Amino acid sequence: MKNGKTYCGAYSALGCAFEYFNDDCGYEQWSQYLIEKLRCCGAGLRGVDIGCGNGYFTRALCKAGYCVTGADVSPQMLNVAVELAAKQGVKADFILQDITKLNLNFKPDFATAVNDCINYVPQNKLRTAFAKVYKSLNKGGVFIFDVSTEHKLRHIVGDNVFARDYDDATCLWFNTLKDDRVEMEITVFTKREDGSYTRADEIQTQYIHKKQDITDALISCGFEVYTEGHLGGDETERINFICKKA
């Protein structure tokens, strides 16, 4: 309970329509980038997509010939991921897993963690998360992930309000910048068959990670690290990390 509202856990409300509201993020181009980098790195065909959400990248990788398991901490996200994969005829497994407690029953050749997954990991658990991925991968395994940068979270997302409004659903997103994180209050309105709307509220937290802190944590776990920014200079909004298990 906060400000007279009862909040669900992260992605409890948004998880049922995440891809729907996030349809402008460039899914197709992003998935092709992942496929290109995995091929350039010589990654094998067995992978895990950590923080898979509604499963877009899991499905895209499967369609490209990879055998991928999607993992996420949100049951609501995974329910939709299973439905969308079945609807599109994609054979993919989905499991409820937290990256900081990652425990797989197979050894993947690669791991992906796309669209801010690592921003949901607190600073004091960053090394734990990377160590879990490192331990899970086969020798020579590839780990590709991205983060929203300090610039983006402090100057674009933090202390700002966003809205997505469609005929059958609306999302309102209120952000408060703290010292090391952005706290997000999200409200989702979903239209019922009778024309009325259901409302759900949730709180999310994205943590601000400095590039050097991420690099140091990866190296300390044994990864070889390469990085690529989406934009140049100090105003880079997203950084991709491409890593290999030695």
Side-chain angles (χ1 to χ4, degrees):
M1 179 77 71
K2 181 180 178 182
N3 299 327
K5 301 178 186 176
T6 299
Y7 289 93
C8 306
Y11 287 109
S12 295
L14 191 56
C16 296
F18 180 72
E19 279 187 24
Y20 186 66
F21 286 123
N22 204 36
D23 62 352
D24 63 345
C25 80
Y27 277 124
E28 175 63 26
Q29 296 90 337
W30 209 339
S31 62
Q32 290 305 310
Y33 171 85
L34 291 176
I35 292 165
E36 176 190 350
K37 293 303 176 184
L38 288 171
R39 289 174 177 167
C40 287
C41 292
L45 296 179
R46 189 72 172 98
V48 58
D49 182 22
I50 304 167
C52 69
N54 289 163
Y56 186 95
F57 297 108
T58 308
R59 299 193 306 274
L61 289 167
C62 286
K63 291 175 184 177
Y66 294 96
C67 179
V68 185
T69 295
D72 205 279
V73 296
S74 167
Q76 292 80 9
M77 283 283 211
L78 292 174
N79 287 341
V80 175
V82 170
E83 292 175 5
L84 291 175
K87 184 177 180 180
Q88 296 180 20
V90 175
K91 293 182 179 180
D93 294 323
F94 294 95
I95 56 175
L96 188 67
Q97 288 265 342
D98 182 335
I99 190 173
T100 64
K101 302 174 183 177
L102 193 65
N103 184 21
L104 304 175
N105 61 4
F106 64 96
K107 279 286 198 182
D109 301 310
F110 67 87
T112 56
V114 188
N115 203 4
D116 295 347
C117 173
I118 301 302
N119 288 107
Y120 288 94
V121 179
Q123 289 88 346
N124 62 356
K125 293 186 177 181
L126 201 57
R127 190 185 183 284
T128 298
F130 293 155
K132 289 290 186 181
V133 176
Y134 187 90
K135 182 179 179 181
S136 297
L137 287 170
N138 274 323
K139 185 176 181 180
V142 177
F143 179 31
I144 300 177
F145 67 92
D146 63 83
V147 292
S148 285
T149 61
E150 182 174 13
H151 169 76
K152 178 181 176 182
L153 292 178
R154 289 195 186 280
H155 302 294
I156 298 175
V157 176
D159 290 332
N160 212 338
V161 178
F162 300 89
R164 298 301 301 274
D165 185 30
Y166 297 98
D167 289 341
D168 53 356
T170 298
C171 178
L172 304 176
W173 182 17
F174 302 87
N175 301 325
T176 302
L177 177 64
K178 303 291 186 178
D179 288 342
D180 62 347
R181 64 195 185 278
V182 175
E183 294 182 356
M184 307 170 176
E185 296 184 34
I186 297 170
T187 299
V188 178
F189 295 94
T190 307
K191 193 174 185 178
R192 297 190 181 104
E193 290 184 4
D194 64 3
S196 63
Y197 285 81
T198 60
R199 171 177 175 162
D201 300 280
E202 68 178 63
I203 290 180
Q204 296 183 17
T205 301
Q206 283 203 11
Y207 296 90
I208 297 169
H209 297 305
K210 296 181 182 295
K211 178 181 175 181
Q212 192 60 53
D213 290 341
I214 293 175
T215 301
D216 289 346
L218 287 165
I219 291 173
S220 73
C221 294
F223 280 110
E224 298 173 358
V225 184
Y226 310 90
T227 62
E228 298 180 337
H230 279 201
L231 296 173
D234 295 335
E235 294 187 357
T236 297
E237 295 180 18
R238 187 175 300 279
I239 300 175
N240 294 319
F241 289 80
I242 303 169
C243 317
K244 261 198 170 185
K245 180 175 180 176

